[in-house]
Amino acid sequence: MLEEVERWLARRSWSAADRPLDRILAAKRGAGTTVSVVLPALNEEATVGAIVATIRRELMTDAVPLVDELVVLDSGSTDRTAVVAAAAGARVVHRDEVLPRLPALPGKGEVLWRSLLATEGDVVCFVDADLRDFSADFVSGIVGPLLTDPDVHFVKAMYDRPLGEAVGQGGRVTELVARPLLNLHWPQLAGFVQPLGGEYAARRSLLERLPFPVGYGVELGLLVDALHTVGLDALAQVDVGVRKHRHQDGRALGRMAAAIYRTAQLRLARGHLVRPALTQFERTPEGFVPRTYAVDTEERPPMAEIAEYAQRHAA
Protein backbone atom coordinates (compact mmCIF):
# COMPACT_ATOMS: atom_id res chain seq x y z
CA MET A 1 0.00 0.00 0.00
CA LEU A 2 1.23 3.49 -0.82
CA GLU A 3 2.44 5.53 2.14
CA GLU A 4 -0.01 8.21 1.03
CA VAL A 5 -2.87 5.72 1.44
CA GLU A 6 -1.64 4.60 4.86
CA ARG A 7 -1.68 8.23 6.00
CA TRP A 8 -5.12 8.67 4.46
CA LEU A 9 -6.46 5.64 6.32
CA ALA A 10 -5.31 7.15 9.60
CA ARG A 11 -6.79 10.58 8.82
CA ARG A 12 -9.92 9.85 6.79
CA SER A 13 -11.35 6.56 8.09
CA TRP A 14 -13.76 6.84 10.99
CA SER A 15 -16.51 5.06 12.87
CA ALA A 16 -20.04 6.43 13.01
CA ALA A 17 -19.59 6.68 16.79
CA ASP A 18 -16.76 9.20 16.33
CA ARG A 19 -19.29 11.95 15.63
CA PRO A 20 -22.23 12.02 18.05
CA LEU A 21 -25.48 13.39 16.65
CA ASP A 22 -25.37 16.50 18.80
CA ARG A 23 -22.01 17.46 17.29
CA ILE A 24 -23.27 16.85 13.76
CA LEU A 25 -26.44 18.85 14.37
CA ALA A 26 -24.50 21.76 15.87
CA ALA A 27 -22.25 21.87 12.79
CA LYS A 28 -25.28 21.71 10.50
CA ARG A 29 -26.99 24.60 12.27
CA GLY A 30 -23.82 26.66 12.32
CA ALA A 31 -23.18 26.32 8.60
CA GLY A 32 -26.83 26.33 7.49
CA THR A 33 -26.18 23.22 5.37
CA THR A 34 -29.15 21.27 4.03
CA VAL A 35 -29.20 17.50 3.56
CA SER A 36 -31.11 15.42 1.01
CA VAL A 37 -31.37 11.63 1.23
CA VAL A 38 -32.12 9.74 -1.99
CA LEU A 39 -33.22 6.11 -2.22
CA PRO A 40 -33.03 4.76 -5.78
CA ALA A 41 -35.65 2.03 -5.95
CA LEU A 42 -36.79 -0.64 -8.38
CA ASN A 43 -39.32 -3.14 -7.01
CA GLU A 44 -38.28 -2.78 -3.36
CA GLU A 45 -41.68 -2.81 -1.63
CA ALA A 46 -40.43 -5.34 0.93
CA THR A 47 -37.73 -3.06 2.37
CA VAL A 48 -38.15 0.56 1.28
CA GLY A 49 -40.89 1.37 3.80
CA ALA A 50 -38.84 0.39 6.84
CA ILE A 51 -35.86 2.42 5.62
CA VAL A 52 -37.98 5.52 5.03
CA ALA A 53 -39.75 5.12 8.38
CA THR A 54 -36.43 4.82 10.25
CA ILE A 55 -35.01 7.96 8.65
CA ARG A 56 -38.15 9.95 9.39
CA ARG A 57 -38.41 8.69 12.96
CA GLU A 58 -34.75 9.16 13.92
CA LEU A 59 -33.37 11.90 11.68
CA MET A 60 -36.31 14.12 10.65
CA THR A 61 -37.84 15.26 13.95
CA ASP A 62 -37.87 18.57 15.80
CA ALA A 63 -35.28 17.13 18.18
CA VAL A 64 -33.07 15.67 15.42
CA PRO A 65 -33.54 17.71 12.21
CA LEU A 66 -30.59 16.18 10.35
CA VAL A 67 -32.34 15.29 7.09
CA ASP A 68 -34.23 18.07 5.31
CA GLU A 69 -35.46 16.12 2.29
CA LEU A 70 -36.17 12.41 1.78
CA VAL A 71 -36.82 11.30 -1.78
CA VAL A 72 -37.46 7.86 -3.23
CA LEU A 73 -36.55 7.92 -6.92
CA ASP A 74 -38.64 5.17 -8.51
CA SER A 75 -36.90 3.56 -11.46
CA GLY A 76 -40.05 2.09 -12.99
CA SER A 77 -41.23 -0.31 -10.29
CA THR A 78 -44.05 -2.70 -11.13
CA ASP A 79 -44.81 -3.55 -7.49
CA ARG A 80 -46.04 -1.31 -4.64
CA THR A 81 -42.69 0.40 -4.02
CA ALA A 82 -44.08 3.90 -4.65
CA VAL A 83 -47.17 3.36 -2.49
CA VAL A 84 -45.21 1.87 0.41
CA ALA A 85 -42.55 4.61 0.28
CA ALA A 86 -45.12 7.40 0.23
CA ALA A 87 -47.09 5.86 3.08
CA ALA A 88 -43.90 5.71 5.15
CA GLY A 89 -43.28 9.42 4.60
CA ALA A 90 -41.03 9.81 1.57
CA ARG A 91 -41.59 12.10 -1.38
CA VAL A 92 -41.75 9.70 -4.32
CA VAL A 93 -40.54 10.89 -7.71
CA HIS A 94 -40.71 8.73 -10.81
CA ARG A 95 -37.60 8.67 -12.93
CA ASP A 96 -39.52 9.73 -16.04
CA GLU A 97 -40.85 12.88 -14.34
CA VAL A 98 -37.34 14.30 -14.05
CA LEU A 99 -35.89 15.92 -17.16
CA PRO A 100 -38.61 14.47 -19.42
CA ARG A 101 -37.02 15.86 -22.60
CA LEU A 102 -34.33 13.17 -22.24
CA PRO A 103 -35.76 9.64 -22.51
CA ALA A 104 -34.63 7.68 -19.48
CA LEU A 105 -32.08 4.92 -19.85
CA PRO A 106 -32.29 1.79 -17.70
CA GLY A 107 -29.89 1.62 -14.80
CA LYS A 108 -29.18 2.75 -11.27
CA GLY A 109 -26.74 5.46 -12.32
CA GLU A 110 -29.42 7.09 -14.47
CA VAL A 111 -31.66 7.44 -11.41
CA LEU A 112 -28.89 8.84 -9.23
CA TRP A 113 -28.01 11.39 -11.92
CA ARG A 114 -31.62 12.55 -12.27
CA SER A 115 -31.97 12.80 -8.51
CA LEU A 116 -29.71 15.85 -8.54
CA LEU A 117 -32.43 17.70 -10.42
CA ALA A 118 -35.16 16.35 -8.10
CA THR A 119 -33.48 17.47 -4.85
CA GLU A 120 -32.18 20.69 -3.32
CA GLY A 121 -29.82 19.74 -0.48
CA ASP A 122 -26.26 21.03 -0.25
CA VAL A 123 -25.28 17.49 0.75
CA VAL A 124 -26.78 14.52 -1.10
CA CYS A 125 -26.79 11.10 0.57
CA PHE A 126 -27.55 7.96 -1.44
CA VAL A 127 -28.91 4.83 0.28
CA ASP A 128 -29.88 1.60 -1.50
CA ALA A 129 -33.52 0.64 -1.01
CA ASP A 130 -32.98 -3.11 -0.50
CA LEU A 131 -31.30 -2.90 2.93
CA ARG A 132 -32.64 -5.04 5.77
CA ASP A 133 -32.27 -4.25 9.49
CA PHE A 134 -31.54 -0.68 8.45
CA SER A 135 -29.80 1.66 10.90
CA ALA A 136 -29.94 5.45 10.81
CA ASP A 137 -26.14 5.34 11.19
CA PHE A 138 -26.01 4.63 7.46
CA VAL A 139 -27.12 8.24 6.96
CA SER A 140 -25.78 10.14 9.96
CA GLY A 141 -22.45 8.30 9.80
CA ILE A 142 -21.60 9.31 6.26
CA VAL A 143 -23.20 12.75 6.35
CA GLY A 144 -21.35 13.65 9.56
CA PRO A 145 -17.88 14.31 8.10
CA LEU A 146 -19.35 16.55 5.40
CA LEU A 147 -21.03 18.70 8.05
CA THR A 148 -18.13 18.86 10.50
CA ASP A 149 -15.12 19.05 8.15
CA PRO A 150 -15.20 21.53 5.25
CA ASP A 151 -12.26 19.79 3.58
CA VAL A 152 -14.21 16.54 3.08
CA HIS A 153 -16.28 16.33 -0.11
CA PHE A 154 -17.15 12.64 -0.62
CA VAL A 155 -17.78 9.92 1.99
CA LYS A 156 -18.37 6.20 1.47
CA ALA A 157 -19.88 3.85 4.04
CA MET A 158 -17.88 0.76 5.00
CA TYR A 159 -19.35 -2.29 6.67
CA ASP A 160 -19.38 -6.07 6.98
CA ARG A 161 -21.40 -7.80 4.26
CA PRO A 162 -22.45 -11.29 5.40
CA LEU A 163 -23.41 -13.78 2.71
CA GLY A 164 -25.95 -16.10 4.30
CA GLU A 165 -24.41 -17.25 7.57
CA ALA A 166 -20.84 -16.55 6.42
CA VAL A 167 -19.38 -13.31 7.79
CA GLY A 168 -17.42 -11.11 5.44
CA GLN A 169 -18.30 -13.09 2.31
CA GLY A 170 -20.38 -10.45 0.54
CA GLY A 171 -19.02 -8.04 -2.02
CA ARG A 172 -18.01 -10.69 -4.55
CA VAL A 173 -17.75 -8.26 -7.45
CA THR A 174 -15.79 -5.92 -5.21
CA GLU A 175 -13.19 -8.56 -4.37
CA LEU A 176 -12.95 -10.16 -7.82
CA VAL A 177 -13.20 -7.09 -10.06
CA ALA A 178 -13.28 -3.66 -8.45
CA ARG A 179 -10.54 -4.07 -5.86
CA PRO A 180 -7.97 -5.50 -8.32
CA LEU A 181 -8.79 -2.72 -10.82
CA LEU A 182 -8.39 0.00 -8.22
CA ASN A 183 -5.19 -1.42 -6.76
CA LEU A 184 -3.60 -1.79 -10.18
CA HIS A 185 -4.75 1.43 -11.85
CA TRP A 186 -5.82 3.82 -9.06
CA PRO A 187 -3.71 2.69 -6.08
CA GLN A 188 -4.64 5.87 -4.19
CA LEU A 189 -8.11 4.33 -3.80
CA ALA A 190 -6.82 1.00 -2.43
CA GLY A 191 -7.83 2.00 1.10
CA PHE A 192 -11.57 1.98 0.44
CA VAL A 193 -13.18 -1.01 2.15
CA GLN A 194 -16.41 -0.90 0.10
CA PRO A 195 -15.66 0.96 -3.15
CA LEU A 196 -18.86 -0.34 -4.79
CA GLY A 197 -21.15 0.22 -1.81
CA GLY A 198 -24.40 2.03 -2.56
CA GLU A 199 -24.32 4.17 0.59
CA TYR A 200 -22.33 7.36 0.16
CA ALA A 201 -22.75 11.09 0.56
CA ALA A 202 -21.18 14.04 -1.21
CA ARG A 203 -21.42 17.76 -1.59
CA ARG A 204 -23.73 18.80 -4.41
CA SER A 205 -20.99 21.13 -5.63
CA LEU A 206 -18.92 18.02 -6.41
CA LEU A 207 -21.64 15.70 -7.73
CA GLU A 208 -22.90 18.25 -10.23
CA ARG A 209 -19.43 18.33 -11.83
CA LEU A 210 -19.11 14.55 -12.32
CA PRO A 211 -20.33 12.36 -15.20
CA PHE A 212 -22.61 9.50 -14.15
CA PRO A 213 -22.36 6.06 -15.77
CA VAL A 214 -25.98 5.06 -16.18
CA GLY A 215 -25.65 1.48 -14.94
CA TYR A 216 -23.75 -0.63 -12.43
CA GLY A 217 -20.50 1.23 -13.06
CA VAL A 218 -21.76 4.37 -11.34
CA GLU A 219 -20.12 3.74 -7.96
CA LEU A 220 -16.67 3.04 -9.37
CA GLY A 221 -16.97 5.89 -11.86
CA LEU A 222 -17.95 8.46 -9.24
CA LEU A 223 -15.17 7.35 -6.89
CA VAL A 224 -12.46 7.53 -9.55
CA ASP A 225 -13.69 10.85 -10.91
CA ALA A 226 -13.99 12.33 -7.41
CA LEU A 227 -10.36 11.40 -6.79
CA HIS A 228 -9.27 13.22 -9.93
CA THR A 229 -11.52 16.21 -9.22
CA VAL A 230 -10.89 16.97 -5.53
CA GLY A 231 -7.99 14.70 -4.53
CA LEU A 232 -7.61 11.85 -2.07
CA ASP A 233 -7.66 13.96 1.08
CA ALA A 234 -11.17 15.20 0.23
CA LEU A 235 -12.44 11.60 0.25
CA ALA A 236 -13.29 9.62 3.38
CA GLN A 237 -15.03 6.49 4.69
CA VAL A 238 -17.05 5.71 7.80
CA ASP A 239 -17.71 2.34 9.46
CA VAL A 240 -21.47 1.93 9.96
CA GLY A 241 -21.55 -1.70 11.09
CA VAL A 242 -23.24 -4.45 9.08
CA ARG A 243 -25.05 -4.23 5.75
CA LYS A 244 -27.72 -6.85 5.02
CA HIS A 245 -29.40 -6.84 1.64
CA ARG A 246 -30.64 -9.01 -1.20
CA HIS A 247 -27.80 -10.80 -2.97
CA GLN A 248 -27.67 -11.18 -6.75
CA ASP A 249 -27.21 -14.49 -8.52
CA GLY A 250 -24.01 -15.33 -10.38
CA ARG A 251 -25.19 -14.24 -13.82
CA ALA A 252 -26.36 -10.86 -12.54
CA LEU A 253 -22.98 -10.43 -10.86
CA GLY A 254 -21.30 -11.21 -14.17
CA ARG A 255 -23.22 -8.44 -15.89
CA MET A 256 -22.37 -6.09 -13.06
CA ALA A 257 -18.70 -6.99 -13.35
CA ALA A 258 -18.70 -6.34 -17.09
CA ALA A 259 -20.24 -2.89 -16.61
CA ILE A 260 -17.69 -2.04 -13.92
CA TYR A 261 -14.80 -3.18 -16.09
CA ARG A 262 -16.12 -1.09 -18.95
CA THR A 263 -16.39 1.97 -16.69
CA ALA A 264 -12.77 1.50 -15.62
CA GLN A 265 -11.64 0.95 -19.20
CA LEU A 266 -13.20 4.21 -20.36
CA ARG A 267 -11.42 6.09 -17.61
CA LEU A 268 -8.11 4.47 -18.45
CA ALA A 269 -8.20 5.17 -22.15
CA ARG A 270 -11.35 7.19 -22.85
CA GLY A 271 -11.92 4.72 -25.63
CA HIS A 272 -14.64 2.15 -26.27
CA LEU A 273 -14.93 -1.57 -25.82
CA VAL A 274 -14.46 -3.45 -29.08
CA ARG A 275 -17.61 -5.41 -28.34
CA PRO A 276 -19.74 -3.99 -25.52
CA ALA A 277 -21.59 -7.24 -24.86
CA LEU A 278 -21.32 -10.16 -22.46
CA THR A 279 -22.36 -13.72 -23.25
CA GLN A 280 -23.29 -15.98 -20.36
CA PHE A 281 -24.60 -19.54 -20.30
CA GLU A 282 -27.75 -20.93 -18.74
CA ARG A 283 -28.45 -24.64 -18.37
CA THR A 284 -31.80 -25.68 -19.81
CA PRO A 285 -33.36 -29.10 -20.52
CA GLU A 286 -31.78 -28.79 -23.97
CA GLY A 287 -28.30 -28.09 -22.58
CA PHE A 288 -26.34 -24.87 -22.11
CA VAL A 289 -27.94 -21.94 -23.89
CA PRO A 290 -25.98 -18.72 -24.52
CA ARG A 291 -27.57 -15.47 -23.39
CA THR A 292 -25.97 -12.26 -24.58
CA TYR A 293 -26.47 -8.96 -22.77
CA ALA A 294 -25.45 -5.48 -23.75
CA VAL A 295 -22.90 -3.89 -21.44
CA ASP A 296 -23.80 -0.36 -20.36
CA THR A 297 -21.99 2.06 -22.66
CA GLU A 298 -23.76 5.30 -21.83
CA GLU A 299 -22.77 8.02 -19.40
CA ARG A 300 -24.67 11.13 -18.49
CA PRO A 301 -22.70 14.40 -18.55
CA PRO A 302 -22.07 16.46 -15.40
CA MET A 303 -25.41 17.81 -14.21
CA ALA A 304 -23.96 21.33 -14.19
CA GLU A 305 -23.97 21.15 -18.00
CA ILE A 306 -27.73 20.52 -18.18
CA ALA A 307 -29.67 23.69 -19.03
CA GLU A 308 -32.60 23.00 -16.68
CA TYR A 309 -30.25 22.43 -13.76
CA ALA A 310 -28.16 25.51 -14.57
CA GLN A 311 -31.30 27.66 -14.69
CA ARG A 312 -32.52 26.37 -11.32
CA HIS A 313 -29.20 27.10 -9.65
CA ALA A 314 -28.38 30.33 -11.48
CA ALA A 315 -29.33 32.39 -8.48
Side-chain angles (χ1 to χ4, degrees):
M1 183 176 289
L2 298 176
E3 290 185 9
E4 177 186 7
V5 177
E6 292 181 351
R7 292 193 297 270
W8 175 84
L9 279 169
R11 295 187 67 248
R12 291 294 192 233
S13 292
W14 298 293
S15 166
D18 291 336
R19 287 176 176 79
L21 265 176
D22 56 354
R23 178 186 169 195
I24 297 172
L25 290 169
K28 182 178 188 291
R29 285 192 297 269
T33 306
T34 54
V35 176
S36 298
V37 175
V38 174
L39 276 66
L42 178 62
N43 295 330
E44 302 294 357
E45 66 172 304
T47 50
V48 69
I51 298 172
V52 169
T54 298
I55 294 171
R56 287 202 63 88
R57 182 176 64 251
E58 299 187 25
L59 302 177
M60 297 183 74
T61 65
D62 291 339
V64 186
L66 180 63
V67 174
D68 301 285
E69 184 178 35
L70 176 55
V71 175
V72 169
L73 230 302
D74 190 352
S75 187
S77 298
T78 56
D79 66 359
R80 299 179 65 255
T81 291
V83 173
V84 170
R91 175 163 66 91
V92 179
V93 179
H94 194 280
R95 173 196 62 195
D96 296 342
E97 298 172 2
V98 184
L99 209 58
R101 69 175 177 85
L102 290 180
L105 297 169
K108 178 184 179 183
E110 176 82 354
V111 174
L112 299 183
W113 182 71
R114 289 176 185 256
S115 76
L116 296 183
L117 196 56
T119 56
E120 297 290 342
D122 304 311
V123 168
V124 182
C125 174
F126 298 121
V127 176
D128 281 350
D130 65 342
L131 302 187
R132 295 182 287 108
D133 300 333
F134 176 76
S135 166
D137 286 348
F138 275 75
V139 174
S140 59
I142 58 178
V143 166
L146 295 163
L147 298 176
T148 60
D149 190 333
D151 294 327
V152 174
H153 290 258
F154 187 99
V155 183
K156 296 280 293 190
M158 57 178 168
Y159 31 67
D160 293 323
R161 294 183 65 182
L163 182 60
E165 298 301 317
V167 176
Q169 296 301 308
R172 290 162 288 174
V173 176
T174 293
E175 300 302 334
L176 297 175
V177 180
R179 200 177 306 286
L181 282 171
L182 293 175
N183 275 263
L184 290 169
H185 299 296
W186 295 281
Q188 286 179 298
L189 298 175
F192 276 93
V193 175
Q194 295 291 351
L196 299 186
E199 290 68 47
Y200 47 101
R203 301 190 189 280
R204 176 177 295 272
S205 57
L206 171 61
L207 291 173
E208 67 186 11
R209 296 157 60 195
L210 303 180
F212 276 61
V214 300
Y216 286 127
V218 63
E219 272 81 29
L220 184 134
L222 290 177
L223 186 60
V224 169
D225 292 343
L227 171 69
H228 291 309
T229 303
V230 294
L232 180 60
D233 200 51
L235 313 183
Q237 60 185 349
V238 175
D239 187 347
V240 296
V242 179
R243 184 186 198 269
K244 297 180 181 179
H245 66 114
R246 183 186 66 253
H247 290 282
Q248 305 273 10
D249 64 29
R251 285 188 293 272
L253 294 178
R255 297 191 290 275
M256 184 183 300
I260 289 165
Y261 178 81
R262 167 260 167 197
T263 300
Q265 186 266 346
L266 282 181
R267 279 151 181 77
L268 288 169
R270 290 297 168 184
H272 298 281
L273 290 176
V274 174
R275 182 174 180 269
L278 174 72
T279 298
Q280 299 176 313
F281 292 87
E282 180 178 345
R283 181 184 283 281
T284 71
E286 291 74 36
F288 286 103
V289 175
R291 311 285 190 196
T292 299
Y293 301 88
V295 174
D296 296 321
T297 57
E298 297 291 336
E299 293 198 5
R300 292 301 193 184
M303 185 57 80
E305 297 177 7
I306 299 299
E308 291 90 334
Y309 186 86
Q311 290 168 5
R312 174 179 293 182
H313 292 269

